[in-house]
Structure formats: structure tokens, C-alpha cells
Amino acid sequence: MAMSHLNLLRPVLCRFLPSVVRTPLVTSSRVPSLPHSSCPVLLPNYVRHYATKKSKAKAKGQTAKVNINAALVEDIISLEEVKEDMAAVLTTLKEDFSRNLSIRTSPGALDHITVTTKDGKFPLNQLGQISMKSPQLLVVNMTGFPEAMTAVTRALQDSSMGLNPEVEGTIIRVPVPKVTREHRENLVKLAKQFCNKAKDSLRRVRTGAVTQVKKSKESVSEDTIHLVEKQIQQMADNYAADIDKQLATKTKELLG
């Protein structure tokens, strides 16, 4: 009897229940449990990587390079002229190295020496004829300008080559120091002095260029001024690195 009444109410219940119960929360009162070993649960492995001191220092030392079109800032400064001035510093350094730091004797080893006379300053090879009598002896013939004997002798003594000239009439004999370990080390010290001098000249070029750029502050934006200054500093850093390379190469050559 009860079952027959339930069948009669089925259409009404089917229309009424969906509005009351939207979604069943539990479809079954019992949830089967799986063995622990049969279905392992894999959790995501999150790893946080921390920056090391070395990587932080490397990142701090790296700066973005600037590459400005020289034509766009020619009204402010000529970057090409600045580059030429810096290149001239490096060229002068190379010339100083070849003239003063050679461990091989040749007549041209004295050409760079400048002699100061009452008539002005002259290269030694314009006042006397230089020849090599032996690997350990250079001779300067002063027959053409005997009045400059004293000035030439002083210039030889004051040179950075450690020379002790000997005067015989109008002939100046210049013994060449033997290439000892001490002499090589002295040449390395002289090379460092030349490099320091070159870096000073490089800094003067950079400072002069930056000063010129700052004069355009009223007509150019600060960002543009900053970029141009950064470009000049970058150029100076590159040439300073070249100077260091020249020193390292020459040091290796001198010490053997």
C-alpha cells in the first residue's frame, strides 16, 4: 500500500526536489580508502634559488653599454675628436715603449732623446751622428755642432736609460748597460711610469670632454647630457684597458 502511494507522488517529487537540493555534497556515505603504498601522493617540489655574493657582485659591476650616434650629438661635442685624442695617448705610449724600453741596442735607441740648447730643443739625431761600434757601445759624433757637446752629454745622463757618456774631443762614447735582471726590472718600473703618465693624459682628455658637454645643459635635456657623459667614460675605460694590456705585454717581454 505504501509503495503504491510513493509511486503516485513520484512526478511531484521529481519537480520539487531539484529546486531544493541543487548539488549533492556527498554521493556516498562511505568513501573507499586506497592502500597507502598503491597510490603515492606527489607534492610539487618548489625550490627557491638565492643569489650568491659572487653573482651579486658580478651583476653590480656590469653596466649597460651606451652606443650613441656621433652625428646626433655633434652640436654638443665631437665624439670622433675625443676618440682621436684618446687614441693619440695610446699611440704615444707605444712610441715611448719602443724608444725607451728596448733591451736590444741599435743606433735609433738614442733618437728620442731631446737636447735643450740656448737656441731651443732638438732631437739628438739632429745635432750629432749616432753609430753603433758594438752591441755594448754607441758613439755620437758632434763634429757638426761641437758647441752643443755639454748639452748633449747632460741630456744623455738625464735620460731614463741609465747612460754614463764619456767625452773624447767631439766624440761622445756611450756604453750600453748590460742586460741584467736588475736592468730588466728597472725597465719594467719605467714601463709602469709611462702607463701612469698615459692614464693621466687620458683622464685630462675625458675631463675636458665632459666639461664641454656640461656647457650645453641649458639647450639639451639632462638625460642626453648623462648619456653623452656615459659614452665618454665608456671610451676612456676602453682605452685604459688597452693601456693595461700594453703594460702586461711589455712586462712579459722585458722579464722574459
Side-chain angles (χ1 to χ4, degrees), residues 179-198:
V179 184
T180 61
R181 182 69 181 181
E182 181 180 1
H183 179 61
R184 290 175 182 269
E185 291 175 351
N186 288 334
L187 291 179
V188 171
K189 293 179 181 179
L190 184 59
K192 292 179 180 179
Q193 293 177 9
F194 283 129
C195 285
N196 291 335
K197 180 181 176 182

Side-chain angles (χ1 to χ4, degrees), residues 47-198:
V47 179
R48 183 174 181 179
H49 298 279
Y50 293 91
T52 62
K53 291 184 178 180
K54 186 176 180 180
S55 62
K56 287 182 179 179
K58 184 177 180 181
K60 185 178 180 180
Q62 292 178 346
T63 56
K65 291 186 177 182
V66 179
N67 188 12
I68 299 176
N69 188 338
L72 298 178
V73 295
E74 59 183 1
D75 292 339
I76 303 175
I77 192 172
S78 174
L79 292 178
E80 290 297 327
E81 291 183 1
V82 175
K83 184 177 180 180
E84 291 175 0
D85 291 341
M86 291 183 178
V89 172
L90 185 61
T91 299
T92 300
L93 175 65
K94 292 178 180 179
E95 292 175 351
D96 287 337
F97 276 5
S98 62
R99 291 173 179 175
N100 299 280
L101 303 179
S102 177
I103 57 177
R104 297 178 180 178
T105 305
S106 67
L110 304 180
D111 288 348
H112 70 284
I113 296 179
T114 301
V115 181
T116 303
T117 68
K118 61 181 181 180
D119 297 323
K121 296 182 178 181
F122 303 92
L124 177 56
N125 58 3
Q126 291 185 8
L127 299 177
Q129 183 179 359
I130 306 172
S131 59
M132 184 173 67
K133 293 299 182 181
S134 70
Q136 286 76 39
L137 180 63
L138 295 175
V139 174
V140 183
N141 190 333
M142 295 296 299
T143 303
F145 296 92
E147 66 276 11
M149 287 283 296
T150 302
V152 170
T153 303
R154 186 184 305 111
L156 290 169
Q157 291 172 339
D158 294 342
S159 70
S160 57
M161 301 176 66
L163 303 176
N164 293 308
E166 303 170 357
V167 179
E168 296 179 1
T170 57
I171 300 297
I172 301 177
R173 298 166 62 87
V174 186
V176 179
K178 293 182 179 180
V179 184
T180 61
R181 182 69 181 181
E182 181 180 1
H183 179 61
R184 290 175 182 269
E185 291 175 351
N186 288 334
L187 291 179
V188 171
K189 293 179 181 179
L190 184 59
K192 292 179 180 179
Q193 293 177 9
F194 283 129
C195 285
N196 291 335
K197 180 181 176 182

Side-chain angles (χ1 to χ4, degrees), residues 179-234:
V179 184
T180 61
R181 182 69 181 181
E182 181 180 1
H183 179 61
R184 290 175 182 269
E185 291 175 351
N186 288 334
L187 291 179
V188 171
K189 293 179 181 179
L190 184 59
K192 292 179 180 179
Q193 293 177 9
F194 283 129
C195 285
N196 291 335
K197 180 181 176 182
K199 288 185 177 181
D200 289 340
S201 300
L202 191 62
R203 280 190 288 268
R204 284 194 292 271
V205 174
R206 178 187 59 79
T207 301
V210 171
T211 301
Q212 182 179 344
V213 170
K214 288 182 177 180
K215 293 180 180 179
S216 304
K217 281 188 174 182
E218 296 181 358
S219 58
V220 181
S221 66
E222 292 184 2
D223 290 341
T224 301
I225 295 295
H226 177 70
L227 286 175
V228 176
E229 290 179 353
K230 193 172 183 179
Q231 176 78 67
I232 294 172
Q233 182 63 54
Q234 183 175 295

